[in-house]
Amino acid sequence: MSTEAIRVLITDDHPVFRQGLKGLLVALGVEVVAEAESGPEAVRLAAELQPDVVVMDLHMPGGNGIEATRTITRTSPRIGVLVLTMFRDDDSVFAAMRAGARGYLLKESGAEEIARAVRAVAAGEAIYGPEIARRVLAYFTDMPDPRQAAFPQLTEREREVLELIAQGRSNADIAAALFLSQKTVRNHVSNIFMKLHVADRAQAIVLAREAGLGGNA
């Protein structure tokens, strides 16, 4: 989509900021169809004018940008919401993503970065400022393995054994797969049963599979 074809609704409760952003976008050939100073006003104008992009602040009197974003993306899925805010905390970032925002920039972003984000969101792409992108990446990189989180009482080796138990493998198969003696495997199995409070292999398999183990059988 060319810059000239993009229609934008600016939502921010600070008139000076709105004027500055409007001047920047207009200078780039973007059509600013309206300005809103609250979430409810943005929802009303978005429904009425159907802009390509709504540039949305998050914290405004009379209704926050998260709720407005959620309403706009639900009722008018073709409209892209680009959050432009001073809030860089994880709660704000992920709340905006869950609400359906396609982009998230900080107000300190440069003119070129804002312009690029508006074009990207108008084209249906998702875009985040460098700092926000690092936060998102760090969040998903640091997420614990849900299989480990399910059984924190087990050692790494015991989890490996339980994974194979969940696949229906015998003690002999487990010993061969992990290069252990069958006696060592039996000890691990006994410890697993005790830590998981199960009486037998069948109960252990049920618990393990409910936690997502055994999927590589």
Side-chain angles (χ1 to χ4, degrees):
M1 178 179 293
S2 67
T3 303
E4 291 75 12
I6 300 173
R7 302 170 67 251
V8 173
L9 165 64
I10 297 174
T11 305
D12 196 286
D13 62 323
H14 293 95
V16 174
F17 182 81
R18 289 201 310 270
Q19 291 171 12
L21 181 58
K22 179 179 180 179
L24 164 67
L25 295 176
V26 169
L28 294 169
V30 173
E31 181 185 358
V32 176
V33 295
E35 300 174 36
E37 59 181 20
S38 70
E41 187 179 12
V43 170
R44 179 180 62 80
L45 288 172
E48 176 185 337
L49 301 172
Q50 291 293 303
D52 301 301
V53 178
V54 176
V55 178
M56 181 76 70
D57 192 13
L58 288 187
H59 296 275
M60 299 170 288
N64 67 53
I66 296 296
E67 289 304 320
T69 296
R70 182 176 293 109
T71 301
I72 291 170
T73 57
R74 183 179 66 247
T75 58
S76 301
R78 62 163 295 277
I79 298 176
V81 175
L82 169 63
V83 171
L84 187 58
T85 180
M86 63 172 48
F87 294 93
R88 63 186 77 218
D89 60 285
D90 289 352
D91 287 345
S92 295
V93 173
F94 292 109
M97 291 174 64
R98 287 192 294 270
R102 289 185 198 161
Y104 197 111
L105 292 184
L106 299 176
K107 286 186 174 180
E108 64 199 43
S109 302
E112 183 178 335
E113 187 176 358
I114 293 173
R116 184 172 64 248
V118 168
R119 286 194 295 269
V121 169
E125 301 173 16
I127 187 165
Y128 302 94
E131 179 180 337
I132 303 304
R134 285 193 294 271
R135 283 177 173 272
V136 173
L137 181 61
Y139 174 83
F140 288 108
T141 301
D142 294 340
M143 287 181 69
D145 185 333
R147 295 175 301 177
Q148 295 185 14
F151 304 112
Q153 68 272 46
L154 300 183
T155 66
E156 182 63 32
R157 177 62 81 185
E158 288 167 352
R159 278 191 288 270
E160 291 175 348
V161 172
L162 182 58
E163 172 74 41
L164 295 174
I165 289 175
Q167 293 178 16
R169 309 278 283 274
S170 67
N171 283 0
D173 289 339
I174 295 172
L178 299 180
F179 302 101
L180 300 173
S181 69
Q182 290 194 44
K183 179 180 179 181
T184 298
V185 171
R186 285 196 298 271
N187 288 337
H188 284 313
V189 171
S190 178
N191 289 335
I192 290 168
F193 288 0
M194 178 183 65
K195 290 180 179 181
L196 299 186
H197 304 290
V198 296
D200 55 31
R201 212 175 190 88
Q203 291 182 5
I205 289 174
V206 170
L207 279 182
R209 290 185 176 174
E210 286 178 347
L213 276 68
N216 297 322

